[in-house]
Amino acid sequence: MNIPANSPHARDIACHLHPYTNLEAHEKQGPHILEKGDGIYVIDDTGKRYIEGLAGLWCASLGFSERRLAEAAARQMEILPFYHNFASKTSPPTIDLAEKLISIAPAPMSKVFFTNSGSEANDLQIKIAWYMNNVLGRPKKKKIISRTGGYHGVTVAAASLTGLPYVQDAFDVPIANILHADQPHFYHFAEPGESQEDYASRLAGGLEKMILDEGPETVAAFIAEPVMAAGGVIPPPRTYFGKIQEVLRRHDVMLIVDEVVCGFGRTASMFGCETYGIRPDAVTVAKGLSSGYLPIGAVMISDEIYQALVEGSRKHGLFGTGFTYGGHPVPAAVALETLRIYEERDIVGHVRSIAGHFQKRLNSFAGHPLAGETRGVGLIGAIELVEDKGARKNFDPALKVGPRLVNKCLDHGLITRAMSNDSIAFCPPLIIDESGIDEMFDRFARALEDIAAEIA
Ligand code: PLP
């Protein structure tokens, strides 16, 4: 590709280190520069419009041009552009947001701690579990069980939780005390003839064996996304979370639910916990909390956990952790406005009313020769590409069939991403309507035919 000197593309190549990017390919291809947003669309520097089929990074629930969020940020910038929350300081939007989150939490929660991202929040979940068990006189109860294929972020501790090779390879993670249980991926890992319920029982049995082998007195917490998102959009098999929770309760292992993608309407309930009957001890949120407009995440904890932190701060002088920008009044004001809009527009009701259409269009690809499985819930889904449908065999990753299809989607004006096993993810802004869903899947269908012709 010919990249003119001093173009924004050349300057980006010269100076900008991109996350989750093949750096060598980037030097040749340069960046894709998005300049504007308009509802479910984004517009690049050539003027081309794309449906953002992944809401950016599973986050821009209200699309890319919600004026009320821009106004909420501007208003707060003028009133108080920064304040922190250390040493009992705070500001009104942060108080209001904490109260609001407690009022809508999917299980009784006592306190909210603010972060700038999902990774930081999950990192803190680990610290809280460790701190709590030290305070409670259980210094050995420190292991955290995550799942292969789970995604919980990229800081050293959160990357340790994330069960995906590309997040861990060559980074010297996982750190000690992080274990990975089996992921609940029925399509690949159920045995022939096994029902979803039996598969769920087998997974719960596997988790219990892991806890017993490690010693329950050494296992502090289990962390899970209600639907695994970056791992390939994997909804749990029926009865999975009920059975997992029984195991955790039996061995006094706390349950941390990562609602970073599923929270705020994605699965057609306010939280994924509600969709799957999960009663968490602690919850992580981010992304949809501010519709992605400003960085903000949060940890919510039960009163039982909170009381241990109070005891710890009595012992140690303070609860010694915090981020300069955690609970920043501007993202807090934007998050509050986001939650107001979700309520006023009944965004959960909207998702419920169009989820059937989304899932019908998604599942209409099930008969395609390249589609091994279509799966999803609410307004999130994936189509997994396979070389051999009967054998459920994926393509050789070296062929990069998923990434190539994603590039074809770009040609047809659709942005999406290829996840593990060439699973193409769909997670559009929640404001999408039926005609937007049709347009998105029509564009995808054209791209799929292009790739089918290329590999035939
Ligand atoms: N948890 C889940 C479920 C996520 O999908 C992500 C990001 O995609 C994170 C945590 C990490 O969030 P962040 O990228 O804000 O650190």
Side-chain angles (χ1 to χ4, degrees):
M1 218 172 126
N2 186 21
I3 299 173
N6 289 324
S7 63
H9 301 78
R11 288 163 43 223
D12 183 86
I13 292 171
C15 303
H16 184 186
L17 180 60
H18 282 255
Y20 280 119
T21 296
N22 181 310
L23 302 179
E24 193 183 26
H26 182 74
E27 286 185 10
K28 297 193 187 93
Q29 292 156 13
H32 185 191
I33 304 176
L34 286 311
E35 288 188 345
K36 280 188 232 153
D38 178 17
I40 63 167
Y41 298 88
V42 289
I43 299 143
D44 73 12
D45 58 346
T46 70
K48 185 166 171 143
R49 285 167 77 83
Y50 303 85
I51 295 183
E52 231 311 347
L54 211 72
L57 287 174
W58 332 80
C59 55
S61 312
L62 295 174
F64 293 85
S65 53
E66 179 49 64
R67 280 221 58 78
R68 279 178 58 182
L69 298 187
E71 285 159 8
R75 254 193 328 267
Q76 185 57 40
M77 277 282 194
E78 301 235 338
I79 301 170
L80 182 67
F82 170 75
Y83 217 77
H84 65 83
N85 294 270
F86 287 25
S88 295
K89 304 283 189 297
T90 192
S91 60
T94 311
I95 298 173
D96 291 349
L97 182 60
E99 183 182 58
K100 184 72 203 168
L101 281 171
I102 293 293
S103 77
I104 63 172
M109 291 286 139
S110 171
K111 299 290 177 289
V112 180
F113 186 102
F114 290 105
T115 68
N116 308 290
S117 68
S119 299
E120 285 175 354
N122 283 328
D123 213 290
L124 184 72
Q125 294 280 19
I126 297 175
K127 286 179 78 177
I128 287 176
W130 289 349
Y131 189 94
M132 176 184 89
N133 282 329
N134 285 332
V135 169
L136 295 178
R138 313 192 292 196
K140 284 209 279 179
K141 205 166 173 68
K142 293 291 164 54
K143 292 174 188 161
I144 315 282
I145 302 180
S146 181
R147 301 175 300 172
T148 50
Y151 189 96
H152 301 292
V154 296
T155 57
V156 171
S160 300
L161 296 175
T162 293
L164 292 164
Y166 55 83
V167 176
Q168 302 201 335
D169 289 350
F171 281 116
D172 283 12
V173 292
I175 54 172
N177 282 330
I178 309 287
L179 309 168
H180 288 89
D182 289 338
Q183 61 180 302
H185 197 172
F186 187 80
Y187 175 69
H188 281 298
F189 301 119
E191 282 167 0
E194 196 173 34
S195 68
Q196 291 203 28
E197 288 78 359
D198 288 347
Y199 177 49
S201 300
R202 185 155 63 83
L203 286 167
L207 176 67
E208 182 148 39
K209 180 171 184 323
M210 179 181 247
I211 294 171
L212 290 171
D213 287 350
E214 296 291 329
E217 73 287 357
T218 71
V219 181
F222 177 79
I223 182 166
E225 302 155 83
V227 176
M228 284 186 164
V233 185
I234 302 163
R238 279 191 297 275
T239 69
Y240 172 78
F241 275 109
K243 290 170 178 163
I244 292 289
Q245 288 178 101
E246 277 172 31
V247 170
L248 300 178
R249 269 195 291 273
R250 253 198 305 281
H251 300 292
D252 192 16
V253 173
M254 85 188 227
L255 173 58
I256 304 165
V257 176
D258 183 339
E259 290 270 7
V260 168
V261 169
C262 293
F264 310 107
R266 181 57 62 188
T267 65
S269 314
M270 188 50 99
F271 291 96
C273 283
E274 290 152 4
T275 302
Y276 295 108
I278 310 171
R279 281 213 33 124
D281 300 295
V283 177
T284 300
V285 290
K287 295 191 191 270
L289 173 57
S290 65
S291 185
Y293 279 39
L294 282 177
I296 184 166
V299 162
M300 294 191 257
I301 52 169
S302 68
D303 197 53
E304 199 181 333
I305 299 171
Y306 171 65
Q307 292 308 332
L309 305 189
V310 174
E311 180 58 29
S313 80
R314 201 175 288 136
K315 231 189 215 157
H316 300 286
L318 77 174
F319 180 53
T321 192
F323 305 102
T324 297
Y325 305 114
H328 190 298
V330 181
V334 169
L336 258 180
E337 190 70 1
T338 304
L339 298 184
R340 256 183 227 123
I341 296 173
Y342 289 159
E343 263 180 24
E344 280 171 30
R345 298 189 193 153
D346 185 16
I347 215 79
V348 173
H350 169 70
V351 173
R352 230 170 250 156
S353 72
I354 58 165
H357 188 66
F358 175 90
Q359 296 295 334
K360 192 175 89 204
R361 287 296 315 256
L362 181 82
N363 291 329
S364 71
F365 290 95
H368 193 281
L370 291 181
E373 188 188 35
T374 60
R375 51 180 181 261
V377 59
L379 273 187
I380 186 168
I383 298 172
E384 180 168 333
L385 306 176
V386 287
E387 183 183 354
D388 181 339
K389 267 178 103 117
R392 303 189 171 187
K393 181 172 175 276
N394 290 108
F395 286 99
D396 177 353
L399 295 174
K400 296 193 182 310
V401 174
R404 280 160 59 199
L405 173 53
V406 164
N407 282 336
K408 303 280 182 207
C409 288
L410 281 182
D411 294 344
H412 291 285
L414 170 65
I415 295 181
T416 177
R417 287 179 69 213
M419 304 293 146
S420 309
N421 292 339
D422 293 322
S423 295
I424 310 299
F426 297 88
C427 181
L430 300 181
I431 56 165
I432 199 166
D433 60 13
E434 285 206 0
S435 70
I437 289 170
D438 285 336
E439 207 177 320
M440 178 174 76
F441 284 119
D442 289 349
R443 290 177 189 206
F444 176 74
R446 291 196 279 277
L448 188 61
E449 287 324 308
D450 288 353
I451 197 81
E454 203 174 281
I455 60 180

